[in-house]
Amino acid sequence: MASKVIHAIYTDDDLLLQAVKQVRDARYNIAEIYTPFPVHGLDKAMGLESTRLAIASFIYGLIGFAVAIIMMNYMMIEDWPQDIGGKPSFSFIQNSPAFVPIIFELTVFFAAHLMVITFYMRSKLWPFKTAENPDVRTTDDHFLMEIDVSNHNVEELSKFLYNTGALEIKLIEN
């Protein structure tokens, strides 16, 4: 069965935000929204649940912290202890102030790099992936709202969308 969607084009982000609220209040199903830049409050207006990327970032930071401590302990205390500037080399605790910058840098390194990898995997942005943008104008200055119309009257929905401030409406059959 072919699915039908309506693409409603808007020219202003505030107008789009108001339209999203009106469309959700009218109980229409918004499939996707394409914008040229992030619109503050759009995720809440669409009713999307909050992301767990911050939790993942904290866990990645903890992994970096643990790797840094284990690495510094092994390299500077167990494997090749050296007397540098008269500092004792037989205890990690006694040398820990000297290790703080390295621990900090590895914590940030692990959190940042693993977050980028997680974001790309979660967003399904693979290398050489073709763009899924339905209208090229959404990369420049227009906003597109994609609404599922499988159980709705197309004419009624189109009229409703024009009343919300849509500049252009297209019916797309997949």
Side-chain angles (χ1 to χ4, degrees):
M1 180 176 167
S3 63
K4 294 181 183 179
V5 292
I6 281 187
H7 287 172
I9 305 268
Y10 295 88
T11 56
D12 184 39
D13 57 335
D14 293 328
L15 190 62
L16 172 75
L17 201 55
Q18 277 302 111
V20 166
K21 292 175 184 174
Q22 292 173 1
V23 168
R24 285 199 26 117
D25 288 343
R27 304 273 188 231
Y28 292 114
N29 183 25
I30 299 173
E32 188 66 60
I33 294 182
Y34 299 91
T35 63
F37 54 83
V39 177
H40 180 71
L42 187 60
D43 53 344
K44 286 186 175 56
M46 289 180 65
L48 300 176
E49 59 186 52
S50 61
T51 179
R52 294 183 299 269
L53 286 176
I55 296 168
S57 178
F58 180 73
I59 291 170
Y60 296 152
L62 288 178
I63 292 170
F65 183 78
V67 166
I69 288 177
I70 292 168
M71 179 186 77
M72 294 303 296
N73 185 50
Y74 176 74
M75 289 188 328
M76 300 300 289
I77 306 302
E78 294 176 16
D79 186 41
W80 196 301
Q82 298 178 11
D83 185 5
I84 301 172
K87 294 179 184 171
S89 60
F90 50 84
S91 170
F92 181 83
I93 298 298
Q94 289 177 329
N95 285 329
S96 61
F99 298 156
V100 167
I102 296 165
I103 292 170
F104 172 77
E105 291 297 329
L106 279 176
T107 300
V108 172
F109 179 85
F110 270 70
H113 285 79
L114 291 175
M115 276 305 300
V116 168
I117 292 169
T118 301
F119 175 75
Y120 284 149
M121 289 174 58
R122 182 73 178 103
S123 300
K124 297 177 184 162
L125 293 173
W126 314 115
F128 311 109
K129 181 181 179 187
T130 58
E132 296 176 2
N133 196 1
D135 194 328
V136 251
R137 296 177 290 176
T138 60
T139 61
D140 188 23
D141 61 349
H142 285 67
F143 304 86
L144 185 139
M145 184 185 329
E146 187 176 272
I147 302 166
D148 183 26
V149 293
S150 57
N151 300 326
H152 302 288
N153 184 356
V154 176
E155 291 81 21
E156 181 182 312
L157 179 56
S158 297
K159 185 177 177 182
F160 175 75
L161 289 172
Y162 276 122
N163 289 337
T164 63
L167 177 71
E168 177 183 324
I169 294 176
K170 292 181 190 173
L171 178 65
I172 308 293
E173 293 190 34
N174 295 337

